[in-house]
Amino acid sequence: MLFTSLNLLFFWMTWTTLVLSHSPLRVELFGTLAIRLVFYLAPSIFFFAFDTILPYAASSIKAQGQIALPSGHKRRKISRMELKIIGWSLFNIFLSIAVQGAMEFTLTTLLRRRSLIKVAVRLPYPWGITIDVVRGFIVREILNYAIHRFVLHNDRLRVNRFHETWYHGLRAPWPLTAHYDHPLCYILWKFVPLYLPAALFRFHMITYMIFLGLVSLEETWTHSGYSRVPLGFLLSGMARRTEMHVISGGDGNYGAWGVLDWLGGSTADESETIEEDVRAELADLDIDTKIRKAVQEARDHMGDSVAKEKVKTRRRINGNGKA
């Protein structure tokens, strides 16, 4: 108990010093960047390195096998396409932070209004943090589903072509692809559903950092492609729905949780996609050729055995005749 109290006191002193020595905008932007680095970029880069350096080991724990590797097959080489995806992912992360900073600067400096995120010395209570995070996730899921389904997958809108060409140009999700999309699609799909509930409920900066950290971990694991993830009862289903959305070309699974897809009748049909994957795997393995070769070898072996038996029989007959 004493140890916990000392930790809280140390954290409060550190947080107070940080808030009093820097402007609220700087605290918000650098805090956002730090959370993204620790909870998304660092683990995603580690997983990407693992998939690239040890592709045989990585493919064995991928839900889609070698298809979910960054290169799509077991080779230890980074192509230009993979570098392009990583580059745009990093660009989008910094773009969202720049947009966030521009909005806060406009409100606080130009319009003389209060900031969207509360940066204060006083720390929020644990129960308040829990309530804000829960309703933040609920609003984020609603916005994410609505924008993803009715805007990004609306054939009448030009943004649909950007999303189809960029994000749905992926074979399957792999580390660092959670933030890969056309910048306009990314702001609509990733930034708005994340930042709007935080601004709507005016999260404390500590609450926003916790919320952002949880979202970053969710994005990391649901786009990792691994068959086993932490909190399997929750994240494994989200990861599977994300994979099916990408593999099916955007035919369903627009939300992360799946509840709104179930209510809206937009759950992706996994049976057809799985059947296509099996067929692709069989084509890669060239099963028909191997079966024909095995049958021919069996016939040859049986023919040789029959011929040998005939020779032995003749020898016995000839031997008996001589006797």
Side-chain angles (χ1 to χ4, degrees):
M1 187 69 179
L2 178 60
F3 183 74
T4 303
S5 300
L6 290 175
N7 284 336
L8 290 175
L9 178 61
F10 177 76
F11 177 80
W12 178 80
M13 292 176 62
T14 304
W15 174 252
T16 302
T17 303
L18 181 66
V19 171
L20 295 178
S21 58
H22 296 85
S23 65
L25 180 59
R26 180 173 295 183
V27 172
E28 180 179 341
L29 296 184
F30 278 95
T32 302
L33 178 59
I35 294 297
R36 282 300 195 187
L37 287 173
V38 173
F39 293 99
Y40 175 74
L41 285 177
S44 294
I45 291 173
F46 174 79
F47 294 149
F48 176 80
F50 174 71
D51 291 351
T52 305
I53 298 173
L54 300 171
Y56 288 90
S59 63
S60 65
I61 58 175
K62 290 279 189 177
Q64 302 298 327
Q66 67 177 13
I67 298 175
L69 292 174
S71 61
H73 48 82
K74 299 173 183 178
R75 61 172 175 79
R76 299 179 180 89
K77 187 177 180 180
I78 303 177
S79 66
R80 291 184 178 180
M81 184 60 187
E82 293 157 36
L83 291 175
K84 174 187 174 182
I85 292 173
I86 295 172
W88 277 109
S89 298
L90 295 175
F91 174 81
N92 284 334
I93 291 175
F94 286 104
L95 174 63
S96 65
I97 296 176
V99 172
Q100 178 179 338
M103 292 172 59
E104 289 285 22
F105 178 80
T106 301
L107 282 174
T108 58
T109 304
L110 300 181
L111 301 179
R112 302 294 180 180
R113 302 286 182 87
R114 67 178 187 177
S115 61
L116 297 174
I117 303 296
K118 185 191 301 181
V119 181
V121 173
R122 184 178 179 180
L123 299 177
Y125 292 106
W127 181 244
I129 294 176
T130 304
I131 293 176
D132 282 343
V133 169
V134 169
R135 61 183 181 178
F137 268 105
I138 293 174
V139 174
R140 171 178 173 264
E141 178 68 7
I142 295 173
L143 292 173
N144 189 13
Y145 176 82
I147 294 173
H148 196 186
R149 179 178 182 180
F150 299 111
V151 178
L152 299 186
H153 284 277
N154 188 337
D155 296 335
R156 300 177 181 177
L157 300 178
R158 187 176 182 181
V159 72
N160 168 260
R161 284 176 285 174
F162 295 151
H163 185 63
E164 293 288 339
T165 304
W166 287 58
Y167 184 74
H168 286 289
L170 300 170
R171 293 180 304 275
W174 47 269
L176 292 171
T177 58
H179 291 261
Y180 173 69
D181 207 340
H182 187 280
L184 177 59
C185 301
Y186 176 81
I187 292 298
L188 291 174
W189 180 29
K190 296 292 185 178
F191 175 73
V192 171
L194 172 69
Y195 197 69
L196 188 58
L200 178 64
F201 302 115
R202 198 164 187 257
F203 284 180
H204 190 283
M205 186 59 196
I206 298 296
T207 304
Y208 179 67
M209 291 172 70
I210 294 174
F211 179 60
L212 181 61
L214 294 174
V215 170
S216 298
L217 288 175
E218 173 201 302
E219 293 170 342
T220 299
W221 286 109
T222 55
H223 283 77
S224 66
Y226 299 134
S227 56
R228 297 293 181 89
V229 297
L231 298 175
F233 67 94
L234 178 64
L235 288 180
S236 61
M238 297 172 68
R240 181 59 181 168
R241 283 188 289 273
T242 300
E243 289 176 352
M244 293 307 304
H245 176 76
V246 176
I247 294 172
S248 65
D251 187 18
N253 291 359
Y254 303 108
W257 294 356
V259 177
L260 295 179
D261 285 295
W262 178 69
L263 293 174
S266 56
T267 302
D269 185 5
E270 299 188 10
S271 59
E272 294 182 1
T273 305
I274 292 174
E275 183 179 350
E276 292 176 359
D277 292 343
V278 171
R279 289 177 179 175
E281 290 291 337
L282 293 178
D284 292 338
L285 294 174
D286 199 5
I287 294 297
D288 292 338
T289 302
K290 291 184 177 181
I291 291 175
R292 286 194 295 268
K293 183 178 179 181
V295 170
Q296 186 61 42
E297 289 178 353
R299 287 177 178 176
D300 294 341
H301 180 71
M302 291 175 64
D304 293 341
S305 299
V306 171
K308 290 179 180 179
E309 288 296 329
K310 288 181 179 180
V311 171
K312 290 180 180 179
T313 302
R314 289 174 183 173
R315 287 177 179 177
R316 291 195 195 99
I317 294 172
N318 293 333
N320 293 332
K322 290 179 180 180

